[in-house]
Amino acid sequence: MNRRFFSTALALAALSACTQTPARPYLPPSPVDRLGSLMEVSVVDRATGRELPVYRANGEYWVAGRPGARYALRLRNRMGERLMTVMSVDGVNVLTGETAGVQQNGYVLSGGERADIAGWRKSDSQIAAFEFTANGNSYASRTGRPDEVGVIGVAIFRERVAPPPPPVPMPFPRRDGYSREESAPRGELEARNKSMAPSASADSAAPGESSAMAQSRSQPAPSLGTGHGRRETSYVGHTTFERLRSSPDEVVRIRYDSRENLVAAGVIPASPAPRWPRPAGPSPFPASEAGYVPDPPPRY
């Protein structure tokens, strides 16, 4: 009886040991393609048309650029209302060329609209393409502003919309068949109509801010910046936009550098080493095809 109990206990111990879950290896978080809640923002490689993966590390978002590649900032308005985006690359406003500030002019997108901002705005019909280049060749460095090279910023503003006017009261007939409006003296009626007309405030009479609507686009190597690329055709129009508040409703910040630098900094996981690295000299497994041992060829 004791022996049987002991054998059962031993079997249960072996079973519990076999059902223990092995420790899982650490897997870095998967990169995303877009950022932003009011306005989706992504970086697009114009040669391939693909959105670059966005990696998160140490509280920052990063994309890996390729030296010489042209890129665009892709925006998509997720709201059902107009939004204004003040955009900067390397600390420079992409629309005006000023050292960037959130109160400057930007692009306005209608509800649900998508646009690719592909370069520095030169006029209503031309841009100079964004292209990844060495830090010293970036537009910011060439214009004496190298301190903020390597960062993209998008400040999003919601619009202040005037409330709709109150409904005009409809006249109702009197018992004698005439309405109160018709029976009122003409002078009193004109004065009443003037009092009902909405008065123009100083804010609505003043012109809004001018902005353009897009229609389209340990470091092993020097860090990247954004160059002033070749001229391209890109048309925009002008509109007015009154911000709901002076501070942005959302700010999207993306850092960028070369892939080699981001791997060296630990932002992008390094490619794993081969599982069975081949040593120098003869290999014990020159081929790995399945099968059995064949007969050798005849001697004669």
Side-chain angles (χ1 to χ4, degrees):
M1 184 69 179
N2 293 337
R3 182 180 305 174
R4 182 178 303 173
F5 178 80
F6 178 79
S7 301
T8 304
L10 184 62
L12 289 175
L15 180 61
S16 62
C18 293
T19 56
Q20 290 181 354
T21 303
R24 296 182 179 180
Y26 168 75
L27 295 176
S30 301
V32 298
D33 293 332
R34 303 166 188 160
L35 301 175
S37 57
L38 299 176
M39 182 83 68
E40 282 187 350
V41 181
S42 60
V43 183
V44 181
D45 186 328
R46 296 180 62 190
T48 63
R50 295 181 178 178
E51 297 177 347
L52 300 181
V54 181
Y55 300 88
R56 180 176 173 83
N58 301 322
E60 297 268 18
Y61 291 100
W62 297 82
V63 296
R66 186 165 43 88
R70 293 181 300 155
Y71 73 90
L73 304 179
R74 177 163 294 170
L75 308 177
R76 188 177 74 86
N77 186 346
R78 302 184 64 184
M79 308 298 289
E81 61 188 88
R82 296 202 312 169
L83 295 175
M84 180 179 184
T85 60
V86 180
M87 306 175 64
S88 72
V89 171
D90 298 345
V92 179
N93 187 306
V94 305
L95 188 62
T96 66
E98 304 169 273
T99 299
V102 296
Q103 294 302 322
Q104 296 167 354
N105 288 344
Y107 289 93
V108 176
L109 274 70
S110 301
E113 183 180 1
R114 194 187 81 168
D116 285 359
I117 311 302
W120 309 97
R121 175 60 53 185
K122 306 300 294 182
S123 67
D124 288 354
S125 60
Q126 277 195 331
I127 58 171
F130 292 144
E131 60 182 21
F132 291 118
T133 185
N135 188 319
N137 291 331
S138 66
Y139 176 72
S141 295
R142 292 173 62 186
T143 54
R145 297 169 286 183
D147 295 339
E148 314 299 336
V149 172
V151 64
I152 297 166
V154 181
I156 298 113
F157 292 86
R158 302 183 74 170
E159 186 175 18
R160 182 183 300 278
V161 181
V168 178
M170 298 296 294
F172 55 91
R174 292 170 50 181
R175 290 183 178 179
D176 56 5
Y178 295 95
S179 67
R180 291 186 179 181
E181 296 291 347
E182 292 175 348
S183 62
R186 182 175 181 181
E188 180 183 348
L189 183 60
E190 291 178 354
R192 190 185 307 170
N193 290 338
K194 289 181 180 179
S195 65
M196 291 170 55
S199 59
S201 64
D203 292 340
S204 62
E209 295 185 61
S210 174
S211 59
M213 183 178 298
Q215 292 184 0
S216 101
R217 137 358 343 49
S218 156
Q219 296 187 354
S223 58
L224 285 186
T226 298
H228 186 274
R230 68 185 185 187
R231 298 290 186 100
E232 298 179 3
T233 300
S234 174
Y235 292 97
V236 293
H238 292 266
T239 186
T240 58
F241 188 94
E242 184 180 359
R243 306 172 202 229
L244 182 61
R245 54 181 60 88
S246 59
S247 58
D249 293 279
E250 183 179 16
V251 175
V252 176
R253 167 187 164 102
I254 304 175
R255 302 281 301 277
Y256 69 90
D257 207 335
S258 66
R259 183 176 184 86
E260 293 79 9
N261 288 349
L262 296 188
V263 170
V267 174
I268 299 178
S271 301
R275 190 172 180 181
W276 293 300
R278 179 173 179 174
S283 173
F285 302 101
S288 58
E289 296 180 2
Y292 298 99
V293 178
D295 294 334
R299 292 181 178 272
Y300 307 103

